[in-house]
Amino acid sequence: MNRRFKKKKNSTFKVSSKLDIGNPRGTTLHNFINLKKYKVLAPPAPTYWPSSLKKKPDILDIFVTKLPNSLYNNTTNILDLNSDHSSVLLTLNTSPPILQTSPNLFNRFTDRLKFHDNVNENIKLNIQLKTPDDIDLAVKDLTNITQMAAWSATNANSTTPHISNPLPEMIRTLITEKRKARACYQRTRLPSHKKIYNQLANSLKKTLAKYKNIILVNNLTNLSSKDGSLWKATKKILRYKAPNLPLIKPNGSLTSSDSEKAELFKTHLSEIFLPHPNIFDPDTISLVNRSLNVPPQSSLPIKPFSPNDLKYQIQKYPQKKSPGYNLTTAEVVKCLPKRAIVHITHIFN
């Protein structure tokens, strides 16, 4: 079951996302919602886009509902050209939604060589960088060129949406019910709610154990020596793991409890971190005071760097860092051509 409702711009109350108490209509609606115990479903982005520069975008279109807890909802903005308001879409579903992974520029279907050639063809080095607006425009153009080159180098027909939570619907429903029961118990602290929460937690634990057992049996059944899966599983099992050795006391015995380890660390650190013998020397104190009284020097300008320095830092950058708003990761930057490296160096310098 998947029903969709669309809320148009004509609303009775103009209420901000925080139900501003300074607005009489907003106060009336806020009190009515609390009295009837209704739910307020607001979109993630503003719905009112004023034409005046003195006003700010705000959320004026919301849903006031009394949906049962068995239904799952999601609100999104529809950026249609209605007027100064944008429509809001409410999606209702009987099963928990499956979370999709965030968008990215590179995946396993991206042609790195094609991306390299596309960036090298579209980038321009003979641009003017004299004002802050010129620098901002150059950064924006470079970001657009990188994104368009990455998307054009990716085979759109081969990309399949990767599901970050491939659990069955029954388990996802149990997880949602357990979280709701935990939140209810944390609010009320009633023994009856705690009992419901414990029952759901134990049921979820047993269901997950059975599911993991089924997955393990399927994986072991599908192992084969032809595709190398048997060798990979054997290598993973036989991988050497260094044991966590206990600490040794000064008398040669081993520590067995946390208190003994704490005492051993206390003795070791007290012997290592000792005050300097000349810390109260008058000559040293006067030297430190003279150094502190010297007026600070003006900061020197940042030394410019070369494209080779930038390329060296890019190669050293960690591969698993999360991207920013422009979706540019270390893997994308490492595939940039030499012209792009020179252009980035020119922007920074």
Side-chain angles (χ1 to χ4, degrees), residues 129-331:
L129 295 175
K130 293 185 178 181
T131 62
D133 294 336
D134 295 339
I135 296 176
D136 293 339
L137 182 60
V139 173
K140 183 179 179 181
D141 292 340
L142 178 61
T143 303
N144 293 335
I145 290 173
T146 305
Q147 291 178 349
M148 295 303 296
W151 289 330
S152 62
T154 303
N155 188 1
N157 297 327
S158 301
T159 56
T160 55
H162 176 69
I163 301 174
S164 60
N165 188 15
L167 292 175
E169 181 179 346
M170 180 185 64
I171 297 181
R172 289 189 284 113
T173 305
L174 277 177
I175 292 175
T176 307
E177 292 178 355
K178 189 206 75 169
R179 291 174 178 174
K180 290 181 180 179
R182 180 179 60 187
C184 182
Y185 168 66
Q186 290 175 350
R187 288 195 306 267
T188 61
R189 294 294 178 180
L190 295 177
S192 59
H193 292 166
K194 183 180 180 181
K195 181 180 179 181
I196 296 174
Y197 167 65
N198 291 335
Q199 289 177 353
L200 290 173
N202 294 331
S203 176
L204 177 62
K205 189 181 298 183
K206 295 178 181 178
T207 307
L208 282 175
K210 292 180 181 178
Y211 176 72
K212 291 179 180 179
N213 189 24
I214 294 174
I215 294 297
L216 179 61
V217 171
N218 292 336
N219 291 337
L220 294 178
T221 307
N222 295 329
L223 292 179
S224 175
S225 59
K226 297 180 180 179
D227 56 356
S229 58
L230 180 61
W231 163 248
K232 291 181 181 178
T234 306
K235 184 179 179 181
K236 184 178 180 180
I237 294 174
L238 298 179
R239 187 176 299 168
Y240 175 75
K241 297 181 181 180
N244 190 7
L245 299 177
L247 300 177
I248 302 177
K249 297 181 181 180
N251 56 6
S253 59
L254 301 178
T255 56
S256 58
S257 62
D258 294 337
S259 59
E260 293 179 352
K261 295 179 182 179
E263 289 293 332
L264 187 60
F265 274 116
K266 183 186 72 174
T267 305
H268 175 71
L269 296 177
S270 62
E271 295 175 355
I272 295 297
F273 295 97
L274 297 175
H276 198 273
N278 298 330
I279 192 172
F280 297 109
D281 186 13
D283 296 336
T284 305
I285 295 176
S286 61
L287 178 62
V288 171
N289 291 332
R290 287 197 303 269
S291 301
L292 294 176
N293 294 329
V294 173
Q297 297 180 356
S298 57
S299 59
L300 298 176
I302 300 176
K303 184 179 178 181
F305 52 88
S306 63
N308 291 331
D309 298 334
L310 179 59
K311 188 175 181 180
Y312 176 73
Q313 294 297 330
I314 290 174
Q315 296 299 328
K316 287 177 57 180
Y317 196 76
Q319 191 79 10
K320 296 184 178 180
K321 288 289 185 178
S322 59
Y325 181 75
N326 55 7
L327 304 178
T328 304
T329 59
E331 183 182 7

Side-chain angles (χ1 to χ4, degrees), residues 53-86:
L53 298 177
K54 297 181 180 180
K55 299 180 181 179
K56 296 181 179 180
D58 203 351
I59 299 177
L60 301 187
D61 301 274
I62 59 175
F63 290 93
V64 180
T65 65
K66 200 171 184 180
L67 295 174
N69 294 329
S70 58
L71 292 179
Y72 302 92
N73 59 80
N74 182 31
T75 56
T76 55
N77 294 84
I78 302 178
L79 301 179
D80 294 336
L81 298 177
N82 296 330
S83 63
D84 56 350
H85 284 249
S86 60

